Amino acid sequence: MSKPASRDSYAGYRSRLVEAVRAAGIRDMAVLHAVSQVPRHLFVPEALRSQAYEDTSLPIGSAQTISAPSTHARSIEALQLTGREKVLEVGTGSGYQTALLALTAGTVFSVERVAALADQARRNLAAAGVGNVSILVGDGTLGWRAYAPFDAMVVAAASPDVPAPLLEQLKPGGRMLIPIGPPDAQVLTLVTVDETGTQARTPLSGARFVPLRGTHGFE
Ligand code: SAH
């Protein structure tokens, strides 16, 4: 981050947001620290800036939404990142979750199908001073083969099931967070693959994400 968070005029709002995220049950210190650092007002449309530090989802254009910060925090906490991982994110959206991941992992590779959102996310991340991120415009249900395998993955859109290419690109011992279910209600699910290739699924919470569109998504 280029500018210490304490010196910008939104720092007080961010401290209150950290308290809201903590109240939602998030305990991972690295995740809470990331929430305290990332200037969320740069990731929401200008007209909605006054709501940027409320723990709510907001529209970001192209019929998509940025999730509530506590939802992002819960997903990232479940990945148990140490700060060194190579992470794949499917559904860059505004780039806010990408920024949280960039502060809690090593490198982030993020795929977004809507070019206008990917462009906006690149601008948002640059404005926030976040550097260790690469964004690809394409169908994230296919993963990002050139940089596979990944230590961890986050799918930021509702998926009918786990896309097979993503499982193939997850390292043995890797963790994936994905909302599984129909477009109107999903279960945020932690998918792990052990060293023998055995898959386990742990349901974490109910969720409502926008649909994942693509070869291994809806349509
Ligand atoms: N977490 C994001 C919000 C994600 S909304 C944020 O912090 O702003 C879900 C995103 O997934 C949308 O931007 C949508 O365009 C994208 N998406 C849907 N299907 C996709 C696919 N197959 N590949 C890549 N992105 C996809």
Side-chain angles (χ1 to χ4, degrees):
M1 312 289 296
S2 56
K3 189 174 166 190
S6 54
R7 296 221 201 107
D8 77 57
S9 57
Y10 288 90
Y13 294 105
R14 248 187 328 270
S15 308
R16 284 203 285 282
L17 176 59
V18 171
E19 287 319 307
V21 170
R22 203 195 298 271
I26 310 307
R27 292 289 174 267
D28 185 311
M29 291 308 289
V31 176
L32 293 169
H33 179 70
V35 173
S36 80
Q37 295 296 303
V38 178
R40 191 169 185 256
H41 63 280
L42 298 179
F43 293 84
V44 304
E46 216 156 333
L48 298 175
R49 277 197 177 170
S50 64
Q51 297 169 60
Y53 293 102
E54 290 168 23
D55 189 21
T56 55
S57 58
L58 293 169
I60 53 170
S62 303
Q64 303 301 327
T65 52
I66 177 172
S67 301
S70 57
T71 302
H72 285 139
R74 184 166 295 113
S75 300
I76 298 173
E77 181 174 62
L79 294 177
Q80 298 181 353
L81 299 170
T82 65
R84 290 187 296 273
E85 294 81 1
K86 182 164 62 160
V87 178
L88 177 72
E89 179 186 48
V90 176
T92 318
S94 68
Y96 177 71
Q97 174 165 265
T98 323
L100 294 178
L101 286 167
L103 267 68
T104 47
T107 353
V108 185
F109 295 90
S110 188
V111 186
E112 170 57 55
R113 64 183 278 277
V114 180
L117 288 174
D119 288 345
Q120 186 63 53
R122 286 191 185 105
R123 284 195 291 275
N124 295 345
L125 289 160
V130 177
N132 47 332
V133 170
S134 301
I135 296 176
L136 173 74
V137 177
D139 179 2
T141 70
L142 302 174
W144 192 341
R145 212 163 283 283
Y147 293 104
F150 298 94
D151 300 294
M153 297 182 177
V154 189
V155 180
S159 184
D161 203 344
V162 180
L166 296 188
L167 270 183
E168 285 159 19
Q169 294 174 35
L170 189 62
K171 274 188 198 167
R175 301 165 79 81
M176 180 194 316
L177 224 281
I178 178 167
I180 301 177
D184 53 341
Q186 307 93 43
V187 177
L188 195 56
T189 306
L190 177 67
V191 179
T192 54
V193 177
D194 71 14
E195 306 292 335
T196 67
T198 306
Q199 203 195 109
R201 296 185 182 194
T202 312
L204 296 184
S205 61
R208 197 171 171 160
F209 284 72
V210 297
L212 183 71
R213 307 250 174 236
T215 311
H216 300 270
F218 291 100
E219 284 170 347

